[in-house]
Amino acid sequence: MRAWSVPAPGPVGTGSLRWGRKPVPQPGLGELLVRVRACGVCRTDLHVVEGDLPVRRAGVTPGHEVVGEVAGTGPSAAGFAIGDRVGVAWLRSTDGTCAYCARGAENLCPASRYTGWDADGGYAEYTTVPAAFAHRLPPGIDDVAAAPLLCAGIIGHRALCRAALPPGGRLGLYGFGGSAHLCAQVALARGATVHVLTRGAAARRLALDLGAASARDAYAMPPEPLDSAILFAPVGDLVPVALRALDRGGVLAIAGIHLSDVPPLRYESELFYEREIRSVTSNTREDAREFLALAAGHGVRATTHAYPLARADRALADLAAGRFDGAAVLVDDAS
């Protein structure tokens, strides 16, 4: 099959992502073989390619927002049949036995493994997934539109929960890419006032088109104090900026898997009055089920830009440079 791999992490465009051929993977015990129809391009893929996340699997194929169809099953794989449409997300497996899994916090499992980091992902014609971690997708959303829901959407949903936004509250979103523009739609559907703070003019226009009350530069102050904020941009310098924008008792959730260093915080202006910082780590399968149901019920739709599978390098370069709003999605140009 045709597939991308990461031979040696480094800046995108320097050979850190290689196009070639790999054997079609064989599904193992309890696994599905998935024929990839679309794969979203996530900032986490960029972190894997560029080495911000340490290498877990030599020559890994990135990609963890996969929409495909079941093409084969391994021994004891249950719940899906050949031809079923299926989603493959970031969380690939957990041990199911640790204290975190036992209390419903499988996202914190020390033995957790991830698609496109620990195992080959969806920048390829085929991938595999444990059937227990595959997702059924809403029937009314096409493959390209569904792909970003499988990480950007799910993580945005978890971040929104972690941010503890009160009913009808004022939410600030720092960065407005694939995850934030889906999170904003859920928050707006629930009656929130959303203020977007981001560097890109196209992203600010999209925010206003989706119903945001304001859209300003990332380092600007919103027009009113915030009850909650979510930092999607992997920029540590924005942490004190977002904290200063919070009202008393406000919560800042940091949604990314990677963040540049955070500068020193001033207690009086950035943390006092019971402002809080919370991190977000992966997601649980229940998060995924909740968000996919919300997306279907509220008509949440990704703004997408399709790239041929063979141009994944261009899609990642455009993501790094902020050349598009919404989310990029790879489609198999040979099908």
Side-chain angles (χ1 to χ4, degrees):
M1 68 173 183
R2 303 176 310 148
W4 289 91
S5 61
V6 182
V12 67
T14 62
S16 52
L17 189 65
R18 180 180 298 165
W19 180 234
R21 301 193 73 84
K22 283 187 170 184
V24 174
Q26 298 302 304
L29 182 68
E31 291 185 345
L32 308 173
L33 175 66
V34 177
R35 171 74 167 89
V36 178
R37 301 202 307 219
C39 183
V41 177
C42 180
R43 187 164 292 275
T44 300
D45 302 333
L46 188 62
H47 293 321
V48 170
V49 170
E50 296 197 323
D52 297 321
L53 297 179
V55 173
R56 291 275 192 95
R57 176 184 174 90
V60 71
T61 295
H64 57 275
E65 296 179 335
V66 180
V67 177
E69 63 180 60
V70 177
T73 58
S76 301
F80 294 90
I82 303 297
D84 282 353
R85 191 167 82 138
V86 66
V88 181
W90 176 238
L91 184 65
R92 179 182 174 85
S93 67
T94 62
D95 62 22
T97 59
C98 69
Y100 304 101
C101 289
R103 72 181 197 215
E106 65 181 5
N107 60 306
L108 302 179
C109 175
S112 56
R113 302 181 75 240
Y114 299 94
T115 309
W117 192 20
D118 294 295
D120 286 342
Y123 286 24
E125 293 178 303
Y126 290 89
T127 190
T128 61
V129 62
F133 285 79
H135 299 285
R136 296 194 180 277
L137 300 174
I141 304 177
D142 67 39
D143 295 343
V144 171
L149 304 183
L150 288 160
C151 179
I154 296 167
I155 285 295
H157 171 61
R158 185 168 185 87
L160 188 58
C161 292
R162 294 283 290 162
L165 181 67
R170 302 157 297 175
L171 174 68
L173 301 178
Y174 288 80
F176 202 70
S179 192
H181 91 291
L182 295 169
C183 176
Q185 293 177 58
V186 174
L188 288 164
R190 291 176 162 182
T193 299
V194 174
H195 298 288
V196 170
L197 299 305
T198 192
R199 65 179 182 174
R204 291 195 293 269
R205 287 194 297 271
L206 175 61
L208 294 173
D209 289 344
L210 289 173
S214 72
R216 300 182 175 184
D217 181 77
Y219 289 88
M221 288 294 288
E224 61 181 336
L226 304 172
D227 298 301
S228 303
I230 304 173
L231 177 58
F232 288 101
V235 182
D237 285 347
L238 287 172
V239 170
V241 174
L243 287 169
R244 288 194 294 271
L246 290 176
D247 204 350
R248 299 181 182 208
V251 176
L252 169 63
I254 300 175
I257 192 173
H258 169 77
L259 187 71
S260 61
D261 289 343
V262 178
L265 300 177
R266 292 180 57 84
Y267 180 71
E268 294 84 357
S269 59
E270 292 152 10
L271 289 171
F272 196 51
Y273 295 121
E274 299 191 353
R275 298 182 182 97
E276 295 182 42
I277 303 174
R278 297 179 179 178
S279 65
V280 178
T281 299
S282 185
N283 63 271
T284 66
R285 283 171 285 178
E286 183 58 28
D287 292 331
R289 288 188 285 267
E290 285 180 1
F291 172 72
L292 291 171
L294 280 171
H298 289 307
V300 174
R301 293 293 182 270
T303 295
T304 57
H305 304 273
Y307 289 74
L309 176 61
R311 297 309 309 273
D313 53 347
R314 170 53 59 189
L316 282 173
D318 288 350
L319 173 63
R323 295 191 186 104
F324 55 77
D325 56 8
V329 179
L330 304 178
V331 293
D332 187 355
D333 45 315
S335 60

